[in-house]
Amino acid sequence: MTYDRKLVIVQNPYSTRHSEVQAGVFDRLDAAGITYDTITTRFSRAEDNIKYLADRLPDGTHIISAAGDGTSTQVVNAGLRAELDGAVYSFIGYGNCNDLARGERNPLPLLQASHSIITHQPLSIEVNGEPWRYAPGYMTLGLTALVASGFADATSRERMRRTPPHTKLVRSMGQVATTYLRAHDTYLPPFTTNLSTIEQTNLTDVMMINSQYMGRMIRSSIDYPQTDFFGYHQADFSSVWKNIPFACSAITGHTPAERITEITLTFCEPATILAQTEGEHAALPAVSTIRAYKDPAKAIRVVRRAV
């Protein structure tokens, strides 16, 4: 097998399924006679890895993230920050949820002549008027971000790495349930949006959806990355029972979300806001505004398996 583009594989030694990367990625590439370079992330903080990758990712390459969604997000942010010329991206899933990978774990179909290349528009996120991060898949605020923060803990990552593959989902859901029971009544501070002058209160979560998959369980029939809009949903997830209709719709691929092109949340008082993009969580201090939108100038090219 031949491939005429320079190939770079980015791996994360702390990803949930990193022990499977050698056989699933490198051995397959070696057996096919494909040459490649590797970059291994080194830091626990997303921002540190983004800086590290931005200094090392070369122009004109096919960059494959062979890790989880968080590492894939770091790769996209690094590429956009470095303003790479002629780069294309792929995501193969060796993490926990692997939403961006869309079920792909084998790099070889992405290198075949029949592959497809799509234009993928990530979300541009600004905090207090300053650029913060690009979210290729989604951003959430509130309780779901708090849940995501638990998976970044070193103890949790090690426990997930030791879990047999066929029980990882069960263990993940167990951890989600434990965090939810402990913190289900954690509410966002009041805010308004540019979509409504009504003050929004008693909400645990805000979701900005730019992917067909979010946290593995939340699904949509819309391929948001290929559109100029994204999905917006705000909710009070403090009670399981009143969210059963949402859960049923989400699991069956019909997540209810308003189609929008831009949104600005303005908090009534500056506050610390828990946020996450594809599992990469952060506690944002003294937040007055959060803005999400799509900038066509920040679109990336993503290689997918041929349909």
Side-chain angles (χ1 to χ4, degrees):
M1 183 177 183
T2 59
Y3 191 61
D4 58 4
R5 184 187 288 268
K6 182 177 176 62
L7 185 64
V8 175
I9 309 297
V10 178
Q11 62 175 337
N12 176 2
Y14 303 106
S15 64
T16 303
R17 297 177 182 268
H18 180 258
S19 62
E20 303 169 38
V21 172
Q22 181 63 49
V25 180
F26 299 135
D27 289 353
R28 283 171 166 158
L29 291 172
D30 292 341
I34 302 295
T35 59
Y36 56 90
D37 292 334
T38 62
I39 300 177
T40 303
T41 59
R42 301 175 55 188
F43 306 100
S44 58
R45 292 181 64 250
E47 183 59 31
D48 292 335
N49 280 323
I50 291 169
K51 291 178 180 177
Y52 180 78
L53 292 169
D55 290 338
R56 289 163 175 79
L57 292 174
D59 291 325
T61 55
H62 184 175
I63 304 164
I64 297 182
S65 174
D69 293 318
T71 303
S72 296
T73 298
Q74 293 168 16
V75 167
V76 170
N77 276 264
L80 288 172
R81 184 174 298 184
E83 299 182 335
L84 296 182
D85 183 25
V88 296
Y89 301 80
S90 291
F91 315 115
I92 52 179
Y94 287 89
N96 194 28
C97 292
N98 303 313
D99 296 319
L100 293 173
R102 302 166 61 93
E104 189 63 71
R105 300 187 67 200
N106 182 352
L108 297 182
L110 304 172
L111 310 181
Q112 294 174 352
S114 58
H115 68 234
S116 61
I117 299 180
I118 69 159
T119 298
H120 181 125
Q121 291 195 51
L123 297 176
S124 294
I125 309 295
E126 296 177 356
V127 177
N128 294 340
E130 297 294 328
W132 178 59
R133 190 172 291 173
Y134 300 103
Y138 57 86
M139 177 182 186
T140 75
L141 309 176
L143 181 57
T144 44
L146 177 61
V147 169
S149 69
F151 289 95
D153 177 79
T155 301
S156 172
R157 285 180 178 269
E158 182 59 32
R159 185 168 55 244
M160 289 300 298
R161 279 196 292 270
R162 294 198 308 266
T163 301
H166 62 281
T167 61
K168 285 185 187 292
L169 178 59
V170 174
R171 172 153 257 173
S172 296
M173 292 301 102
Q175 182 167 319
V176 168
T178 299
T179 305
Y180 176 82
L181 290 172
R182 172 174 54 84
H184 65 92
D185 56 353
T186 301
Y187 291 93
L188 288 165
F191 63 89
T192 59
T193 76
N194 59 312
L195 305 179
S196 172
T197 57
I198 299 173
E199 185 175 292
Q200 306 298 310
T201 59
N202 299 317
L203 296 173
T204 62
D205 288 87
V206 164
M207 298 179 175
M208 302 164 193
I209 306 169
N210 193 44
S211 174
Q212 287 188 278
Y213 304 93
M214 193 172 83
R216 190 179 296 186
M217 304 301 291
I218 297 177
R219 304 175 183 180
S220 174
S221 60
I222 302 170
D223 198 359
Y224 285 109
Q226 296 192 74
T227 73
D228 59 1
F229 59 85
F230 58 97
Y232 178 79
H233 184 80
Q234 58 186 42
D236 175 11
F237 288 146
S238 63
S239 167
V240 172
W241 303 112
K242 66 182 179 183
N243 284 287
I244 288 177
F246 171 86
C248 292
S249 296
I251 291 172
T252 57
H254 302 285
T255 299
E258 182 179 358
R259 298 184 185 184
I260 60 174
T261 57
E262 186 270 340
I263 190 166
T264 300
L265 279 63
T266 302
F267 293 91
C268 299
E269 298 288 343
T272 296
I273 304 299
L274 295 178
Q276 65 136 339
T277 56
E278 296 86 25
E280 289 291 343
H281 78 286
L284 305 175
V287 175
S288 295
T289 62
I290 294 177
R291 181 187 179 215
Y293 61 99
K294 286 191 172 183
D295 180 357
K298 299 301 182 181
I300 60 174
R301 294 188 299 157
V302 173
V303 176
R304 290 180 179 175
R305 174 200 289 262
V307 179

